[in-house]
Short mmCIF file of all heavy atoms in Angstrom, two decimals:
data_model
loop_
_atom_site.label_atom_id
_atom_site.label_comp_id
_atom_site.label_asym_id
_atom_site.label_seq_id
_atom_site.Cartn_x
_atom_site.Cartn_y
_atom_site.Cartn_z
N LEU A 147 -43.84 -96.06 -9.08
CA LEU A 147 -42.61 -95.78 -8.33
C LEU A 147 -41.72 -97.02 -8.31
O LEU A 147 -40.50 -96.92 -8.50
CB LEU A 147 -42.95 -95.34 -6.91
CG LEU A 147 -41.77 -94.99 -5.99
CD1 LEU A 147 -40.93 -93.88 -6.61
CD2 LEU A 147 -42.28 -94.57 -4.61
N GLY A 148 -42.31 -98.19 -8.08
CA GLY A 148 -41.53 -99.41 -8.08
C GLY A 148 -40.90 -99.70 -9.43
O GLY A 148 -39.75 -100.13 -9.50
N GLY A 149 -41.66 -99.46 -10.50
CA GLY A 149 -41.12 -99.67 -11.84
C GLY A 149 -39.97 -98.73 -12.15
O GLY A 149 -38.96 -99.14 -12.74
N MET A 150 -40.10 -97.46 -11.75
CA MET A 150 -39.03 -96.49 -11.96
C MET A 150 -37.76 -96.92 -11.24
O MET A 150 -36.66 -96.93 -11.81
CB MET A 150 -39.47 -95.11 -11.47
CG MET A 150 -40.51 -94.42 -12.31
SD MET A 150 -41.20 -92.96 -11.48
CE MET A 150 -39.73 -92.07 -10.96
N ARG A 151 -37.90 -97.26 -9.97
CA ARG A 151 -36.73 -97.62 -9.17
C ARG A 151 -36.09 -98.92 -9.66
O ARG A 151 -34.86 -99.05 -9.71
CB ARG A 151 -37.13 -97.76 -7.70
CG ARG A 151 -37.60 -96.47 -7.06
CD ARG A 151 -38.05 -96.70 -5.63
NE ARG A 151 -36.94 -97.16 -4.80
CZ ARG A 151 -37.09 -97.71 -3.59
NH1 ARG A 151 -38.31 -97.89 -3.11
NH2 ARG A 151 -36.04 -98.08 -2.89
N GLU A 152 -36.93 -99.87 -10.04
CA GLU A 152 -36.41 -101.14 -10.53
C GLU A 152 -35.66 -100.95 -11.85
O GLU A 152 -34.57 -101.51 -12.05
CB GLU A 152 -37.57 -102.12 -10.73
CG GLU A 152 -37.17 -103.47 -11.26
CD GLU A 152 -38.36 -104.37 -11.55
OE1 GLU A 152 -39.51 -103.97 -11.24
OE2 GLU A 152 -38.14 -105.48 -12.09
N LEU A 153 -36.23 -100.15 -12.74
CA LEU A 153 -35.62 -99.94 -14.05
C LEU A 153 -34.28 -99.22 -13.94
O LEU A 153 -33.29 -99.61 -14.55
CB LEU A 153 -36.58 -99.15 -14.95
CG LEU A 153 -36.26 -99.09 -16.44
CD1 LEU A 153 -36.23 -100.49 -17.05
CD2 LEU A 153 -37.27 -98.22 -17.17
N VAL A 154 -34.26 -98.16 -13.14
CA VAL A 154 -33.03 -97.38 -12.98
C VAL A 154 -32.02 -98.12 -12.11
O VAL A 154 -30.81 -98.05 -12.34
CB VAL A 154 -33.35 -95.99 -12.39
CG1 VAL A 154 -32.07 -95.20 -12.13
CG2 VAL A 154 -34.26 -95.21 -13.32
N GLY A 155 -32.52 -98.82 -11.12
CA GLY A 155 -31.62 -99.45 -10.16
C GLY A 155 -30.98 -100.74 -10.62
O GLY A 155 -29.81 -101.01 -10.32
N GLN A 156 -31.74 -101.57 -11.36
CA GLN A 156 -31.17 -102.85 -11.77
C GLN A 156 -31.44 -103.21 -13.22
O GLN A 156 -31.11 -104.31 -13.66
CB GLN A 156 -31.70 -103.96 -10.85
CG GLN A 156 -33.20 -104.08 -10.80
CD GLN A 156 -33.68 -105.00 -9.69
OE1 GLN A 156 -33.19 -104.93 -8.56
NE2 GLN A 156 -34.61 -105.88 -10.02
N GLY A 157 -32.05 -102.30 -13.98
CA GLY A 157 -32.22 -102.53 -15.41
C GLY A 157 -33.26 -103.57 -15.76
O GLY A 157 -33.19 -104.17 -16.83
N THR A 158 -34.22 -103.79 -14.88
CA THR A 158 -35.28 -104.75 -15.17
C THR A 158 -36.65 -104.11 -14.92
O THR A 158 -36.75 -103.06 -14.26
CB THR A 158 -35.16 -106.01 -14.28
OG1 THR A 158 -35.31 -105.63 -12.89
CG2 THR A 158 -33.84 -106.69 -14.49
N LEU A 159 -37.68 -104.74 -15.43
CA LEU A 159 -39.05 -104.31 -15.18
C LEU A 159 -39.92 -105.55 -15.07
O LEU A 159 -39.82 -106.46 -15.90
CB LEU A 159 -39.54 -103.40 -16.32
CG LEU A 159 -40.86 -102.65 -16.08
CD1 LEU A 159 -40.74 -101.73 -14.86
CD2 LEU A 159 -41.25 -101.84 -17.30
N PHE A 160 -40.75 -105.58 -14.05
CA PHE A 160 -41.60 -106.75 -13.75
C PHE A 160 -40.77 -107.99 -13.46
O PHE A 160 -41.15 -109.11 -13.82
CB PHE A 160 -42.60 -107.02 -14.88
CG PHE A 160 -43.51 -105.86 -15.16
CD1 PHE A 160 -43.49 -105.22 -16.39
CD2 PHE A 160 -44.38 -105.41 -14.18
CE1 PHE A 160 -44.33 -104.15 -16.65
CE2 PHE A 160 -45.22 -104.34 -14.44
CZ PHE A 160 -45.19 -103.70 -15.66
N ASP A 161 -39.62 -107.76 -12.80
CA ASP A 161 -38.82 -108.90 -12.36
C ASP A 161 -39.60 -109.67 -11.29
O ASP A 161 -40.31 -109.09 -10.48
CB ASP A 161 -37.50 -108.40 -11.78
CG ASP A 161 -36.54 -109.53 -11.46
OD1 ASP A 161 -36.61 -110.56 -12.14
OD2 ASP A 161 -35.73 -109.37 -10.53
N GLN A 162 -39.46 -110.99 -11.30
CA GLN A 162 -40.16 -111.89 -10.38
C GLN A 162 -41.69 -111.80 -10.50
O GLN A 162 -42.41 -111.92 -9.52
CB GLN A 162 -39.74 -111.62 -8.92
CG GLN A 162 -38.26 -111.89 -8.66
CD GLN A 162 -37.89 -111.69 -7.22
OE1 GLN A 162 -38.30 -110.74 -6.57
NE2 GLN A 162 -37.09 -112.61 -6.68
N ALA A 163 -42.14 -111.58 -11.72
CA ALA A 163 -43.60 -111.52 -11.95
C ALA A 163 -44.27 -112.84 -11.62
O ALA A 163 -45.46 -112.87 -11.31
CB ALA A 163 -43.87 -111.15 -13.41
N HIS A 164 -43.50 -113.93 -11.64
CA HIS A 164 -44.08 -115.24 -11.34
C HIS A 164 -44.57 -115.34 -9.89
O HIS A 164 -45.36 -116.22 -9.55
CB HIS A 164 -43.04 -116.34 -11.61
CG HIS A 164 -41.84 -116.26 -10.71
ND1 HIS A 164 -40.81 -115.36 -10.92
CD2 HIS A 164 -41.51 -116.97 -9.59
CE1 HIS A 164 -39.90 -115.52 -9.98
NE2 HIS A 164 -40.29 -116.48 -9.15
N LEU A 165 -44.08 -114.44 -9.02
CA LEU A 165 -44.53 -114.47 -7.62
C LEU A 165 -46.02 -114.19 -7.51
O LEU A 165 -46.68 -114.64 -6.57
CB LEU A 165 -43.75 -113.45 -6.79
CG LEU A 165 -42.24 -113.68 -6.65
CD1 LEU A 165 -41.62 -112.58 -5.81
CD2 LEU A 165 -41.96 -115.05 -6.07
N MET A 166 -46.55 -113.44 -8.48
CA MET A 166 -47.97 -113.12 -8.46
C MET A 166 -48.76 -113.89 -9.51
O MET A 166 -49.90 -114.27 -9.27
CB MET A 166 -48.19 -111.61 -8.68
CG MET A 166 -47.91 -110.75 -7.49
SD MET A 166 -48.73 -109.15 -7.62
CE MET A 166 -50.44 -109.65 -7.48
N PHE A 167 -48.16 -114.11 -10.66
CA PHE A 167 -48.91 -114.64 -11.80
C PHE A 167 -48.51 -116.06 -12.20
O PHE A 167 -48.97 -116.55 -13.23
CB PHE A 167 -48.77 -113.70 -12.99
CG PHE A 167 -49.14 -112.28 -12.69
CD1 PHE A 167 -48.17 -111.29 -12.64
CD2 PHE A 167 -50.46 -111.93 -12.43
CE1 PHE A 167 -48.51 -109.97 -12.35
CE2 PHE A 167 -50.80 -110.62 -12.14
CZ PHE A 167 -49.83 -109.64 -12.10
N GLY A 168 -47.64 -116.69 -11.43
CA GLY A 168 -47.25 -118.05 -11.74
C GLY A 168 -46.09 -118.14 -12.72
O GLY A 168 -45.61 -117.12 -13.26
N GLU A 169 -45.64 -119.35 -12.96
CA GLU A 169 -44.47 -119.56 -13.81
C GLU A 169 -44.71 -119.10 -15.24
O GLU A 169 -43.76 -118.76 -15.95
CB GLU A 169 -44.10 -121.05 -13.81
CG GLU A 169 -43.61 -121.57 -12.47
CD GLU A 169 -42.38 -120.81 -11.99
OE1 GLU A 169 -41.53 -120.45 -12.83
OE2 GLU A 169 -42.27 -120.59 -10.77
N ALA A 170 -45.95 -119.06 -15.69
CA ALA A 170 -46.24 -118.61 -17.05
C ALA A 170 -45.88 -117.15 -17.26
O ALA A 170 -45.75 -116.69 -18.40
CB ALA A 170 -47.72 -118.83 -17.37
N ALA A 171 -45.71 -116.40 -16.16
CA ALA A 171 -45.41 -114.96 -16.26
C ALA A 171 -43.92 -114.68 -16.32
O ALA A 171 -43.52 -113.51 -16.31
CB ALA A 171 -46.03 -114.22 -15.07
N GLN A 172 -43.08 -115.72 -16.38
CA GLN A 172 -41.63 -115.51 -16.45
C GLN A 172 -41.25 -114.64 -17.64
O GLN A 172 -40.32 -113.84 -17.57
CB GLN A 172 -40.91 -116.86 -16.55
CG GLN A 172 -40.98 -117.71 -15.30
CD GLN A 172 -39.97 -117.29 -14.25
OE1 GLN A 172 -39.33 -116.25 -14.36
NE2 GLN A 172 -39.82 -118.11 -13.21
N GLY A 173 -42.01 -114.76 -18.73
CA GLY A 173 -41.69 -114.00 -19.93
C GLY A 173 -42.05 -112.53 -19.86
O GLY A 173 -41.72 -111.76 -20.77
N LEU A 174 -42.75 -112.13 -18.79
CA LEU A 174 -43.13 -110.72 -18.66
C LEU A 174 -41.95 -109.82 -18.28
O LEU A 174 -42.00 -108.61 -18.48
CB LEU A 174 -44.23 -110.56 -17.61
CG LEU A 174 -45.61 -111.13 -17.95
CD1 LEU A 174 -46.55 -110.95 -16.77
CD2 LEU A 174 -46.18 -110.45 -19.19
N THR A 175 -40.90 -110.42 -17.73
CA THR A 175 -39.77 -109.63 -17.26
C THR A 175 -39.02 -108.99 -18.42
O THR A 175 -38.68 -109.65 -19.41
CB THR A 175 -38.79 -110.51 -16.46
OG1 THR A 175 -39.49 -111.10 -15.35
CG2 THR A 175 -37.63 -109.68 -15.94
N ILE A 176 -38.80 -107.70 -18.30
CA ILE A 176 -38.02 -106.95 -19.28
C ILE A 176 -36.65 -106.67 -18.67
O ILE A 176 -36.56 -106.16 -17.55
CB ILE A 176 -38.71 -105.62 -19.65
CG1 ILE A 176 -40.10 -105.89 -20.24
CG2 ILE A 176 -37.86 -104.81 -20.61
CD1 ILE A 176 -40.93 -104.64 -20.44
N LYS A 177 -35.60 -107.00 -19.39
CA LYS A 177 -34.25 -106.84 -18.85
C LYS A 177 -33.37 -106.12 -19.85
O LYS A 177 -33.34 -106.47 -21.03
CB LYS A 177 -33.64 -108.21 -18.52
CG LYS A 177 -32.27 -108.13 -17.85
CD LYS A 177 -31.79 -109.50 -17.44
CE LYS A 177 -30.41 -109.44 -16.80
NZ LYS A 177 -30.40 -108.64 -15.55
N ILE A 178 -32.69 -105.09 -19.38
CA ILE A 178 -31.73 -104.36 -20.22
C ILE A 178 -30.37 -105.01 -20.02
O ILE A 178 -29.81 -105.00 -18.91
CB ILE A 178 -31.67 -102.87 -19.83
CG1 ILE A 178 -33.07 -102.23 -19.95
CG2 ILE A 178 -30.67 -102.12 -20.70
CD1 ILE A 178 -33.12 -100.79 -19.47
N GLU A 179 -29.86 -105.57 -21.07
CA GLU A 179 -28.59 -106.29 -20.98
C GLU A 179 -27.43 -105.33 -20.70
O GLU A 179 -27.39 -104.21 -21.21
CB GLU A 179 -28.32 -107.07 -22.28
CG GLU A 179 -29.35 -108.14 -22.58
CD GLU A 179 -29.34 -109.24 -21.53
OE1 GLU A 179 -28.30 -109.43 -20.88
OE2 GLU A 179 -30.39 -109.92 -21.38
N ASN A 180 -26.50 -105.79 -19.88
CA ASN A 180 -25.27 -105.05 -19.56
C ASN A 180 -25.55 -103.67 -18.97
O ASN A 180 -24.78 -102.73 -19.17
CB ASN A 180 -24.38 -104.90 -20.81
CG ASN A 180 -24.00 -106.25 -21.40
OD1 ASN A 180 -23.69 -107.18 -20.67
ND2 ASN A 180 -24.03 -106.34 -22.73
N PHE A 181 -26.69 -103.55 -18.26
CA PHE A 181 -27.02 -102.28 -17.62
C PHE A 181 -26.44 -102.29 -16.21
O PHE A 181 -26.78 -103.16 -15.40
CB PHE A 181 -28.54 -102.09 -17.57
CG PHE A 181 -28.97 -100.77 -17.00
CD1 PHE A 181 -28.85 -99.60 -17.73
CD2 PHE A 181 -29.47 -100.69 -15.70
CE1 PHE A 181 -29.25 -98.39 -17.20
CE2 PHE A 181 -29.87 -99.48 -15.15
CZ PHE A 181 -29.76 -98.32 -15.92
N PRO A 182 -25.54 -101.34 -15.89
CA PRO A 182 -24.88 -101.37 -14.57
C PRO A 182 -25.82 -101.04 -13.42
O PRO A 182 -25.65 -101.53 -12.31
CB PRO A 182 -23.78 -100.30 -14.70
CG PRO A 182 -24.31 -99.36 -15.75
CD PRO A 182 -25.08 -100.20 -16.71
N GLY A 183 -26.83 -100.22 -13.68
CA GLY A 183 -27.77 -99.85 -12.64
C GLY A 183 -27.23 -98.78 -11.70
O GLY A 183 -26.01 -98.59 -11.58
N MET A 184 -28.12 -98.09 -11.06
CA MET A 184 -27.75 -97.06 -10.08
C MET A 184 -28.25 -97.53 -8.72
O MET A 184 -29.45 -97.59 -8.47
CB MET A 184 -28.37 -95.71 -10.45
CG MET A 184 -27.87 -95.14 -11.76
SD MET A 184 -28.69 -93.57 -12.18
CE MET A 184 -28.21 -92.56 -10.78
#
Side-chain angles (χ1 to χ4, degrees):
L147 181 58
M150 289 169 50
R151 295 177 63 194
E152 179 185 355
L153 193 60
V154 176
Q156 57 191 44
T158 62
L159 191 60
F160 301 117
D161 187 29
Q162 296 183 317
H164 64 281
L165 296 180
M166 283 200 68
F167 306 110
E169 294 301 323
Q172 291 279 11
L174 291 177
T175 302
I176 300 172
K177 184 175 179 62
I178 302 175
E179 298 296 335
N180 301 319
F181 183 75
M184 296 178 60

